[in-house]
Amino acid sequence: MHGSHPSEMRSLQAPLGFFSPEAVSADEERAGMLRAATLGDPDDPDSLDYHQCELFDLSSVQQSTPNLDTDLDTRGFDTIDLGPLSDMQALLESVRSAGEISAEDARSLRRGLTGRVFRLNGGKCLRLLSIAPEGLIMRKSGPNDLKPDPDVEMGEMNGHGAARAIHGDQDVRGTPLKQLMRGNAPWLFRHQTPDGSNRWSPLMLVNLWIPLDQVTRPLTLMDRSSLDARRHQLRYALPTDAFLDRDADMKVNDIWTFLHHSGQRWYFHSELDARRAYVFDTLGTPHGAVILPGEDVVESYYTQLREVAAAVQQGEMQVATERAGAAGPAVLEGSTPALERALASLQTLLREAADGFAAGTEDWLRRVDAACDRLIRKSIEMRVVALLLPDCWPFNRAVASPD
Ligand SMILES: [Fe+2]
């Protein structure tokens, strides 16, 4: 069943990276399934099969709009309101401004979220029972996939870029769930998998995905009721050596990749911040980080502004003024209001520099840092064992309210 879109919902066109159909074969282990060959880095843009897709912007309509196409169970994703949790908001803002997450931050996040109940838009509640010890990470990426800190190595929680390839995070019958739960995961968890679903269990494995800044590289998610799973969902073994220290039988993550089809429907939020987080089904909801139209333009102004700032810091004022006056690319078309506002603030700062820093260089440098930082996409994600409950007493009595 397809929900009709509210007529005022905006959309844009952007390329999404799918798995290439040439490297797909019938699965020899599980009848009727398809397998994607493991070929080097799954996020290598050269190996992806790009398709221009229409992305519907959920921020362009009210959250209370009927027929809003978010529902954790049927569509595979939804959002929850973290706004009322003031301690949590303060913690997320400190992680955002630090640009990295510490072990102490992660502990506080786990403590603050475990046991909480959140109301879903789709008319149910979600109780967060337990946050997985592995997989709490922070991701960062600059406009147009620019590397914000090229020298930082990927560790367990930090140094992760945005995921370019469209994927699903975990096969309920695969590693490491198979080993960790001794094969019981398909019976315990609610899931929709091409070779057998579990639609009666209220227990779910969900990703909680908290945006800190996502003017660039926003997360995009597929409405899974628009997915033909038997034809387009592929088993994929992802090597984990680069970021996890695991036993020999668990050196891969069995995840999902996807083939493109024109019937698939995609969504994103252009204005999401840490007050509202995505929850989506870890066991299959297709998602990835999109590069929005116009990010290449923003990247070029960002780089120019950084060069001007470096010259100012070295006291080379003439170099700075000349560099600031150089014309950049002119247009930004088919993008989001947030990206347009961000671009305007970069252009204002460049103009002030070209005109000779009327407000003084110290204040100017501070504003450059703030404006550029907002263009670095930052997000925190974690895996949560959660209970899907009816939105009625007594299940909803602990729904998140102000601290
Ligand atoms: Fe993911």
Side-chain angles (χ1 to χ4, degrees):
M1 194 199 82
H2 288 186
S4 58
H5 283 129
S7 56
E8 69 274 27
M9 197 185 289
R10 279 194 314 258
S11 68
L12 53 75
Q13 300 279 334
L16 298 185
F18 295 84
F19 197 78
S20 188
E22 293 96 72
V24 178
S25 58
D27 192 337
E28 288 167 8
E29 294 163 5
R30 279 156 60 180
M33 299 279 283
L34 295 171
R35 184 173 259 292
T38 298
L39 313 160
D41 177 6
D43 255 349
D44 175 3
D46 295 335
S47 72
L48 294 173
D49 180 31
Y50 278 94
H51 287 267
Q52 200 72 7
C53 296
E54 182 171 23
L55 274 51
F56 287 93
D57 183 356
L58 291 161
S59 296
S60 65
V61 292
Q62 292 290 321
Q63 286 299 305
S64 56
T65 305
N67 292 330
L68 194 62
D69 284 349
T70 66
D71 180 81
L72 181 57
D73 195 29
T74 59
R75 315 239 181 237
F77 68 94
D78 208 331
T79 58
I80 59 172
D81 189 4
L82 300 180
L85 309 177
S86 49
D87 290 354
M88 178 75 47
Q89 289 300 311
L91 173 65
L92 293 170
E93 175 51 29
S94 87
V95 172
R96 194 196 74 74
S97 62
E100 59 179 18
I101 185 163
S102 69
E104 178 55 35
D105 298 330
R107 268 193 298 277
S108 304
L109 265 178
R110 285 198 171 91
R111 212 175 318 133
L113 289 166
T114 304
R116 290 265 186 205
V117 182
F118 295 94
R119 184 166 280 131
L120 297 168
N121 292 321
K124 289 191 171 174
C125 283
L126 194 69
R127 177 183 288 272
L128 310 185
L129 296 180
S130 163
I131 294 164
E134 206 175 68
L136 193 158
I137 63 169
M138 178 160 176
R139 293 185 189 271
K140 285 170 81 173
S141 170
N144 201 28
D145 208 23
L146 184 82
K147 301 272 164 293
D149 359 71
D151 303 331
V152 174
E153 280 191 24
M154 181 153 69
E156 196 166 335
M157 290 201 298
N158 291 290
H160 296 255
R164 230 178 269 126
I166 297 302
H167 66 281
D169 283 339
Q170 174 71 48
D171 177 355
V172 73
R173 297 185 174 83
T175 300
L177 264 195
K178 183 170 67 181
Q179 291 85 347
L180 295 173
M181 302 192 65
R182 300 191 166 80
N184 289 312
W187 307 105
L188 281 167
F189 290 121
R190 188 181 196 89
H191 66 94
Q192 295 178 31
T193 303
D195 61 346
S197 299
N198 175 343
R199 291 168 191 271
W200 57 264
S201 175
L203 199 62
M204 292 190 73
L205 193 56
V206 298
N207 271 37
L208 176 61
W209 194 98
I210 306 172
L212 302 179
D213 273 311
Q214 63 144 22
V215 173
T216 63
R217 310 300 311 276
L219 187 70
T220 181
L221 300 123
M222 192 204 293
D223 169 355
R224 76 165 164 211
S225 72
S226 71
L227 171 71
D228 183 345
R230 297 286 283 198
R231 286 173 62 208
H232 302 132
Q233 185 165 350
L234 318 169
R235 290 180 68 203
Y236 183 81
L238 174 73
T240 61
D241 304 51
F243 58 98
L244 293 175
D245 183 21
R246 283 215 191 128
D247 293 344
D249 67 330
M250 303 210 292
K251 286 290 181 202
V252 299
N253 268 0
D254 286 312
I255 68 165
W256 303 104
T257 59
F258 297 88
L259 295 173
H260 170 260
H261 187 268
S262 58
Q264 297 162 351
R265 283 198 316 276
W266 291 92
Y267 293 89
F268 78 114
H269 272 276
S270 60
E271 302 282 347
L272 214 56
D273 60 33
R275 287 171 296 180
R276 192 163 271 279
Y278 285 112
V279 283
F280 60 91
D281 188 355
T282 306
L283 303 175
T285 299
H287 61 281
V290 63
I291 296 178
L292 294 169
E295 284 195 26
D296 52 343
V297 174
V298 169
E299 177 192 26
S300 124
Y301 282 100
Y302 175 99
T303 308
Q304 186 181 353
L305 194 54
R306 279 291 183 210
E307 287 166 5
V308 176
V312 170
Q313 277 163 330
Q314 284 157 15
E316 297 170 359
M317 299 312 288
Q318 198 180 338
V319 176
T321 317
E322 275 168 24
R323 184 77 190 91
V331 287
L332 185 76
E333 270 177 9
S335 195
T336 63
L339 204 62
E340 283 166 18
R341 291 195 304 269
L343 180 62
S345 71
L346 300 187
Q347 288 169 326
T348 302
L349 286 159
L350 281 170
R351 221 172 300 124
E352 284 179 32
D355 293 347
F357 305 96
T361 54
E362 208 166 296
D363 175 66
W364 184 85
L365 282 169
R366 192 186 49 72
R367 285 187 293 129
V368 167
D369 276 343
C372 287
D373 186 52
R374 285 290 178 186
L375 285 169
I376 305 298
R377 193 266 249 185
K378 307 173 201 74
S379 60
I380 299 174
E381 66 199 60
M382 61 198 89
R383 306 269 168 90
V384 186
V385 177
L387 263 180
L388 190 63
L389 298 166
D391 184 5
C392 62
W393 194 88
F395 303 111
N396 63 2
R397 73 188 150 175
V399 161
S401 53
D403 290 324

